[in-house]
Amino acid sequence: MKFLVCISNVPDTTTKITFTPDNKEFNKAGVQFVINPWDEYALTRAIELKEAQGGGTVTVLNVGEADTEPNIRKALAIGADDAIRVNAHPKDAFFVAQQIASIAKDGGYDAILMGKESIDYNGFQVHGMVGELLGIPTVAPAMKLDMSGNTATLEREIEGGKEIVEVNTPFVASCQQPMCEPRIPNMRGIMTARTKPLKVVEPTADAARTEVAEYALPPKKQGVKLIPAESAGELIKLLRNEAKVI
Amino acid sequence: MSVLVVVECDGGEVKKSSLEVASYGSQVAQMLGTTATAVAVGEATEANLAKLGEQGISKVLYDAEPRLKDFVNGAYTKLIAAAAQKEESKVIVLANSNIGASVGSRLSMRLQASLATNVVELPKTDGGSFVVKRGAFSGKAFADVKLDGERKIIAVKKNSIEALHEAGKTAQVESFSAQLSDADFADAPKQVIMQDQAGGILLPEADKVVSGGRGMKGPENWHLIEELAKALGAATACSKPVSDVDWRPHHEHVGQTGITVSPNLYIACGISGAIQHLAGVNSSKVIVVINKDPEAPFFKAADYGIVGDVFDVLPKLTQAVKELN
């Protein structure tokens, strides 16, 4: 079974978000980047399934410039076999999806896995675009993934419940918890990751379809209005008469 | 040339988020000098679809094929694409739900359209450009996104647009067939399992949420959360540590890697307010924090707060709501 796992490089989850003075770009200064937490579910599950089957490969794919390589190496340390980096700034979901589809097209992958969205752009878009470009099913977002031969059984989250879906390979799935417990690299993994192949390829010339004109921070809160615990019931009156939310 | 609105239905009813989407779509249609047509998916009744006139929809297309009752990505994508072609729609609006966003991304490739998800405001269309505001960085920022090309797809975030209600207006309901084949149902669900929702209020759709954290001390104390939620007509939720230790099911976990909610009222009980939790709730209109630690970081993001023991405060709040009603 050949897995292709797409990972993106995102600011650490505790990062305070700021922008460049023209508000057109995220300010990367002093920010630590991590593997997108949703993608870690995809990566770990692919490794678990490969181990359970006693064979196969897990290839990691990232669309990004050279500064994403530490996190690609981390994915290799967690247990992926090899990696591909498409050497480009990920302009938008459409651009990224075309790069992934172009790599996947002739790669013979049985499953293309990724996180449900990235925690920076929150698009929830790339998986569907890749599925459509390749003409294969997409299951999004998936909370469980099991494989038996060429059939995958997935649990897809729907509002208020879940669906059990069976699809044949190849397919695309976007992953989320509680699919698995993401792994942390161990020392042996870190040592072997250094020698695993990381191929750098140039992007196809596809353009983007969207452009961020400007970023903005939400308006600052006015500050908390504290109500003494002994007269807690007053809060309910304020929520009705002042905030008008009940 | 009408704006196409995708309306999700469940058990015959139009979902609340779809009433918002219909209102968004009809306002975009007005901006562009055209009308709004809806295409309905899921189980709908003709009477409820006709009522979409109240949200400014003039016509509703409905394919009564029984296999469309549950979400099927392949079939839904084909159906909506066919409706967009019939209506020659340049703008398609859907909900930023698991259904809407899943279909939206496939449709964007099929129809060669640009796509924005997580959209929170009506577009700005000055000078021929088309710009929408969307949430980014897990609710910690917004981005104004310019959508290029002739066709655009917009997925609207729940609770970010007020639904219109023009009483008495009705939409014309037309039966519509996308000529779906068995192959379009290749990814049809084998089984659909609905979870029990406390008080029947669905968390992603809720406009009031009462949420508990580790400060609740254990699952046996959750009745305090449930009683307040019931009195308020709110959904219940929890923080990540609580679902990690199985005090509450995963589908109640709100936060960066859980469900993102944007209700009008979010009441956090015994939750300290880690940045990852805030990311899932900070677009709520009014945030109330109850915590015995006055230094809890959540107070900085709150509109109202009570420094006190949840076991003492929650029954008082429930009592006050009951007295008010």
Side-chain angles (χ1 to χ4, degrees):
Chain A
M1 189 74 53
K2 283 183 76 175
F3 292 94
L4 182 67
V5 178
C6 309
I7 62 168
S8 62
N9 201 49
V10 298
D12 177 56
T13 55
T14 57
T15 303
K16 190 168 189 289
I17 303 300
T18 60
F19 301 102
T20 52
D22 63 359
N23 286 324
K24 289 213 177 258
E25 301 266 349
F26 171 68
N27 179 13
K28 289 182 176 180
V31 172
Q32 186 176 354
F33 280 76
V34 297
I35 300 173
N36 177 40
W38 299 107
D39 298 340
E40 290 190 46
Y41 293 100
L43 175 64
T44 304
R45 190 61 190 143
I47 294 166
E48 285 176 355
L49 288 168
K50 185 193 94 164
E51 288 170 355
Q53 289 163 357
T57 54
V58 175
T59 300
V60 168
L61 171 62
N62 169 255
V63 180
E65 287 159 333
D67 59 352
T68 70
E69 288 198 3
N71 280 326
I72 299 176
R73 288 280 173 210
K74 189 184 168 195
L76 293 170
I78 290 170
D81 298 284
D82 59 350
I84 302 167
R85 179 169 68 81
V86 178
N87 186 31
H89 173 68
K91 286 183 262 185
D92 74 345
F94 174 73
F95 176 83
V96 171
Q98 306 226 65
Q99 307 309 322
I100 295 170
S102 143
I103 298 286
K105 192 165 39 96
D106 305 315
Y109 298 103
D110 299 291
I112 301 168
L113 307 183
M114 60 188 81
K116 88 164 192 174
E117 63 186 41
S118 65
I119 62 161
D120 52 359
Y121 197 72
N122 307 116
F124 196 85
Q125 299 179 4
V126 173
H127 37 76
M129 292 178 176
V130 171
E132 185 71 18
L133 280 169
L134 298 173
I136 59 178
T138 315
V139 181
M143 301 188 288
K144 199 170 172 188
L145 165 62
D146 287 305
M147 305 280 299
S148 169
N150 290 331
T151 307
T153 305
L154 300 107
E155 279 185 19
R156 167 168 49 209
E157 181 171 54
I158 54 172
E159 275 79 5
K162 61 188 174 188
E163 288 181 353
I164 314 293
V165 184
E166 265 178 30
V167 288
N168 290 331
T169 58
F171 66 93
V172 181
S174 75
C175 305
Q176 68 169 49
Q177 65 176 32
M179 181 170 278
C180 56
E181 195 55 52
R183 288 186 189 176
I184 301 164
N186 58 27
M187 191 46 80
R188 190 170 166 270
I190 294 166
M191 299 303 285
T192 54
R194 291 183 192 163
T195 57
K196 287 179 178 174
L198 194 171
K199 190 163 86 178
V200 178
V201 298
E202 291 306 312
T204 58
D206 302 297
R209 281 187 188 162
T210 61
E211 184 194 335
V212 174
E214 193 177 12
Y215 284 106
L217 295 171
K220 278 223 157 36
K221 285 272 181 184
Q222 297 294 310
V224 60
K225 188 180 255 190
L226 288 174
I227 293 104
E230 50 282 8
S231 49
E234 286 302 309
L235 170 70
I236 299 302
K237 288 182 193 148
L238 287 169
L239 291 176
R240 170 157 295 182
N241 301 324
E242 189 177 85
K244 302 192 191 311
V245 286
I246 58 174
Chain B
M1 236 294 280
S2 59
V3 168
L4 186 70
V5 172
V6 180
V7 168
E8 295 173 29
C9 304
D10 193 13
E13 306 268 342
V14 177
K15 289 186 187 170
K16 174 176 168 275
S17 52
S18 288
L19 297 177
E20 294 163 8
V21 165
S23 306
Y24 187 103
S26 62
Q27 288 174 80
V28 173
Q30 208 166 30
M31 288 164 79
L32 300 176
T34 180
T35 54
T37 298
V39 56
V41 292
E43 190 180 22
T45 67
E46 198 171 320
N48 281 332
L49 293 178
K51 276 208 294 197
L52 283 163
E54 296 183 357
Q55 282 75 45
I57 299 293
S58 24
K59 183 168 77 178
V60 186
L61 306 175
Y62 182 50
D63 187 338
E65 153 74 66
R67 288 179 294 177
L68 288 168
K69 179 175 160 288
D70 297 317
F71 173 60
V72 186
N73 208 339
Y76 276 32
T77 303
K78 190 169 173 184
L79 174 78
I80 298 162
Q85 256 136 20
K86 179 181 186 301
E87 295 295 310
E88 295 172 6
S89 302
K90 299 281 188 281
V91 179
I92 301 171
V93 188
L94 25 75
N96 197 66
S97 60
N98 285 342
I99 291 176
S102 295
V103 173
S105 58
R106 288 198 78 106
L107 270 181
S108 74
M109 280 298 175
R110 193 165 301 191
L111 300 176
Q112 301 296 306
S114 55
L115 167 67
T117 49
N118 220 8
V119 170
V120 296
E121 276 181 11
L122 287 166
K124 294 187 257 305
T125 55
D126 320 333
S129 75
F130 200 97
V131 177
V132 287
K133 181 180 270 222
R134 70 188 300 283
F137 293 96
S138 304
K140 289 185 267 186
F142 292 103
D144 277 345
V145 179
K146 188 168 159 278
L147 297 181
D148 295 334
E150 211 187 339
R151 286 203 176 113
K152 285 113 183 154
I153 303 176
I154 300 168
V156 182
K157 187 175 174 176
K158 289 166 190 169
N159 286 323
S160 49
I161 296 291
E162 193 103 10
L164 305 169
H165 282 289
E166 286 184 64
K169 282 187 76 177
T170 55
Q172 176 200 341
V173 182
E174 270 182 26
S175 69
F176 175 69
S177 170
Q179 315 289 333
L180 299 167
S181 66
D182 286 351
D184 299 319
F185 291 91
D187 60 332
K190 298 281 176 261
Q191 200 187 348
V192 179
I193 303 160
M194 297 311 283
Q195 281 131 3
D196 286 336
Q197 304 292 325
I201 313 259
L202 214 53
L203 177 59
E205 300 263 320
D207 76 344
K208 297 183 206 81
V209 175
V210 183
S211 187
R214 266 183 302 195
M216 293 304 298
K217 302 254 194 277
E220 67 279 9
N221 298 320
W222 235 261
H223 65 98
L224 294 172
I225 298 275
E226 284 161 350
E227 281 154 15
L228 177 58
K230 193 175 170 216
L232 283 169
T236 59
C238 69
S239 65
K240 184 169 189 290
V242 164
S243 72
D244 281 351
V245 296
D246 284 337
W247 290 358
R248 300 299 294 173
H250 158 70
H251 68 262
E252 286 198 3
H253 158 208
V254 294
Q256 188 147 32
T257 51
I259 291 171
T260 304
V261 293
S262 48
N264 286 323
L265 175 62
Y266 184 79
I267 303 182
C269 311
I271 302 176
S272 63
I275 197 161
Q276 293 90 340
H277 184 78
L278 283 177
V281 306
N282 58 7
S283 48
S284 306
K285 199 159 140 196
V286 171
I287 295 178
V288 174
V289 170
I290 303 159
N291 203 302
K292 67 178 177 192
D293 175 11
E295 302 297 320
F298 217 155
F299 282 116
K300 290 201 180 77
D303 300 282
Y304 296 94
I306 296 178
V307 179
D309 189 341
V310 285
F311 300 104
D312 166 47
V313 171
L314 280 173
K316 283 187 185 156
L317 295 181
T318 305
Q319 186 58 33
V321 176
K322 285 180 180 161
E323 282 166 15
L324 204 63
N325 294 338

